[in-house]
Amino acid sequence: MKCSSNRFSANTIGSTSSMCSQLQQMVTLLLMATAFCAISVVGSPTQQPQQLQKKEQLELHNHHTTAIRVQQCRDGCLEKFSTKSPLCQKMPKCSMCLNECIHRDQSKATSSIRETWSLRTVSMVQHDSLVLVDVAWEQSSTPFQCLVTWEVSGGGLMGNLLTESFGVQLSLWPDTKYRVQVTCKNKTSSEVEKLRLCSPFVSVGNVWKERRTELGQLVSTKTVQSHIDIIKDCAGKMTEYINSQDPNTVWDIKDIANRFTCGVMTKYIWGMDENTFQHEGNYSPTHRMATNMLNQAMRCVKYYGRTACFPFLRKVCPVRFFPAPTEEYFIGLAREALQDNELKSSVLSRLIQLNAKNDLTYIQMAGHTTTVLIDGFETVAIVIAHCLLMLAENQRVQNKLRTYLIECEEPETCYDITTNTYLNQCIQETLRLFPPLATLFKICTEPITIENHMNGSKVELKPGDVIYISSYSFHHDPEFYDEPEKYWPERFDEDLGGVQRYRDMGVFLPFGEGPRMCPGMKLALMEIKIAIMELIRNFELVPSYNTRYDKKIDSDSFLLRVHGDIHLHIKPVA
Ligand code: HEM
């Protein structure tokens, strides 16, 4: 009897020995009359398909591909552990890498697998010239997919099958020693990804606190302030791009705004200079990936809406939030950028600092980079586009803003997002009319009774209740805002109480409210301000023959935005 193990038994090897003695007793009894069976449990419930492929490769090319093995091992280590870990990092240590990796995997493994699953032989019965062996493992509430492989010990004949049940019957030769392996992966987590789960948006409890604190450092006031020049530089490229085209061009300003925010984000996060304005009629590689990622996320949110009453459908037919190739792309990007000796952005440096403190994995670090990108680039672009549309339609406001920007005695105050300038008022008024996230979702954590002051009725809420708050409804309610459909930035004048007055009433919520309030607000506002300043100082925005005046909202989008393209003329200021 042999209980063999394998490097991919990362989380399981430790348990094998304890199971082994159990099995030995059972098997010894049965085997005397029938067959020998050596069983090892391989893998963990969360193992990814990619790892399965690696395992197959590893075993198939056993003697020829040491280099590949070492590389795979290193990749595995870096994903599982962290950049801090000296494990598998340096070329000279390659030969030791595999052993160290296995060793570390083993020590990590023991506890987790014992809690989660174990493998056992239920029966072995001789039937004619074969032995029918029932092998079973523990049931789980999460959908699993398991690959069962068996081979004659010492190499040789092999069979395999894929199952979603918790046991299989194998037909084996008698008097033969077999090695049976079961590798399970959690269907949900492998098909519905790694990066999304790193966002505070989808986290709760202590995990949320950790993720939120980490992310907060990547978008803190200090970090944002230190990136003003980067944002200005991208805004300068936007001006050059517009100037390089025919002044009579009818522009799709959503597209312009998107190129701007994507350019800012690639520089802000990875320190990469991808001039997103150079790829005319096309997008830069990162812009393309980000767009694919976002579009799929939007489809997924829609799917969640449609299945709200039948959540079990999501288990039967899971839909990815981010497409797998984009996920691989951004994990690769993060890994490369973080391994580079010269860290090219302060976000990367912060991630390394966080890693030193919290021992983050590559996936977690990559997760933070995609959170900043995906939560930021489209929302910010939409606000810029809507603001430009409003300014084009309201020449009075546009002229007043331009005069203010040109005459601004202390240009530095323009970059201060807290001072109540006319620029800020124009942006806030845009956010009021078009809050990109028009509905907030909250989960009740303690019992509370909410009273309707209009008619005295009461609603009792209990922990776990989901609350939807329509910021859009508050923003458009004539009870709080005079002529709510009018674009009138002066409503936020300091003399009238400023934005704070509406926030105090709880009726101005473009970035949400409470502990879950948007952590990217400062970054978003800084980008919007710099883009609007640049364009209004240099250009006049004029509606074109096909500008949408009806402001019909895109009913197909999770983010609130005007339907279709937003067309405008952008003419150099005379
Ligand atoms: C104009 C642009 C943006 C708008 C209008 C916006 C709006 C919002 C809103 C309304 C929420 C929900 C808040 C709540 O439930 O109370 C939110 C959450 C969030 N936003 Fe933003 N956001 C913007 C840009 C960004 C940027 C640039 C980032 C990048 C870091 C970001 C990251 C997040 C994250 C991670 C959450 C979840 C926070 C949590 O659950 O703790 N957002 N955002």
Side-chain angles (χ1 to χ4, degrees), residues 201 208 212 215 375-376 437 440 442 510-513 516 518-520:
F201 216 102
W208 167 74
R212 172 123 188 160
L215 185 77
D375 292 5
L437 267 155
L440 308 177
K442 305 278 173 186
F511 291 99
E513 197 53 85
R516 288 259 179 180
C518 177

Side-chain angles (χ1 to χ4, degrees), residues 181-417:
Q181 260 176 218
V182 179
T183 311
C184 292
K185 64 187 171 74
N186 178 333
K187 242 181 123 189
T188 321
S189 71
S190 65
E191 284 170 18
V192 189
E193 71 244 65
K194 311 176 240 188
L195 293 186
R196 178 181 76 118
L197 300 176
C198 300
S199 168
F201 216 102
V202 294
S203 318
V204 289
N206 286 338
V207 176
W208 167 74
K209 269 190 202 150
E210 269 174 39
R211 298 285 165 271
R212 172 123 188 160
T213 313
E214 287 159 9
L215 185 77
Q217 302 201 22
L218 308 183
V219 288
S220 66
T221 310
K222 204 169 146 208
T223 315
V224 172
Q225 290 285 340
S226 67
H227 283 78
I228 288 181
D229 285 342
I230 285 174
I231 306 176
K232 278 191 196 165
D233 185 56
C234 282
K237 287 187 175 130
M238 175 164 66
T239 299
E240 274 172 35
Y241 177 59
I242 296 170
N243 276 332
S244 70
Q245 309 290 316
D246 180 345
N248 293 318
T249 304
V250 175
W251 293 94
D252 170 11
I253 53 163
K254 267 189 189 171
D255 180 70
I256 300 268
N258 247 296
R259 287 170 187 272
F260 167 74
T261 54
C262 203
V264 171
M265 283 294 129
T266 40
K267 187 81 184 170
Y268 183 90
I269 301 169
W270 301 280
M272 289 190 318
D273 248 325
E274 247 187 28
N275 189 344
T276 42
F277 290 101
Q278 257 170 12
H279 301 72
E280 204 183 322
N282 208 338
Y283 287 153
S284 67
T286 308
H287 195 170
R288 224 172 17 246
M289 284 292 169
T291 307
N292 288 347
M293 210 171 199
L294 185 84
N295 289 345
Q296 175 63 23
M298 302 271 235
R299 278 194 286 273
C300 186
V301 172
K302 214 156 78 185
Y303 175 71
Y304 268 60
R306 286 196 188 129
T307 52
C309 299
F310 315 101
F312 68 93
L313 283 176
R314 298 174 199 160
K315 287 209 166 120
V316 180
C317 187
V319 169
R320 286 192 68 98
F321 197 78
F322 295 149
T326 61
E327 204 174 68
E328 290 310 315
Y329 176 84
F330 286 112
I331 292 172
L333 207 59
R335 183 180 298 148
E336 248 176 61
L338 288 161
Q339 278 177 353
D340 199 331
N341 286 339
E342 184 201 339
L343 293 171
K344 295 201 172 70
S345 79
S346 47
V347 166
L348 296 174
S349 313
R350 291 243 167 231
L351 279 172
I352 295 286
Q353 282 165 12
L354 283 171
N355 179 43
K357 221 163 91 190
N358 300 357
D359 207 7
L360 301 178
T361 65
Y362 262 111
I363 299 292
Q364 284 166 336
M365 289 195 273
H368 283 316
T369 61
T370 46
T371 298
V372 177
L373 176 75
I374 293 302
D375 292 5
F377 98 103
E378 176 74 3
T379 39
V380 176
I382 294 178
V383 179
I384 294 173
H386 289 156
C387 188
L388 296 176
L389 174 65
M390 289 297 99
L391 293 172
E393 282 184 10
N394 296 275
Q395 289 294 321
R396 175 196 71 81
V397 178
Q398 188 184 148
N399 292 337
K400 181 171 169 185
L401 178 60
R402 185 171 301 107
T403 309
Y404 162 75
L405 290 176
I406 291 170
E407 289 177 358
C408 188
E409 281 171 12
E410 290 174 70
E412 287 316 306
T413 55
C414 294
Y415 302 115
D416 177 359
I417 46 178

Side-chain angles (χ1 to χ4, degrees), residues 48 105 107 110 168 203 278 306 328 339 365 393 405 426 437 441 455 507 556:
Q48 306 295 322
D105 277 359
S107 54
T110 319
V168 285
S203 318
Q278 257 170 12
R306 286 196 188 129
E328 290 310 315
Q339 278 177 353
M365 289 195 273
E393 282 184 10
L405 290 176
C426 292
L437 267 155
F441 306 89
N455 59 16
V507 297
D556 212 26

Side-chain angles (χ1 to χ4, degrees), residues 97-110:
C97 166
L98 199 61
N99 285 338
E100 282 193 62
C101 215
I102 291 169
H103 179 72
R104 178 140 177 194
D105 277 359
Q106 279 175 336
S107 54
K108 270 205 156 190
T110 319

Side-chain angles (χ1 to χ4, degrees), residues 33-51:
T34 52
F36 242 123
C37 187
I39 294 179
S40 68
V41 186
V42 178
S44 76
T46 52
Q47 195 162 13
Q48 306 295 322
Q50 192 198 357
Q51 286 171 306

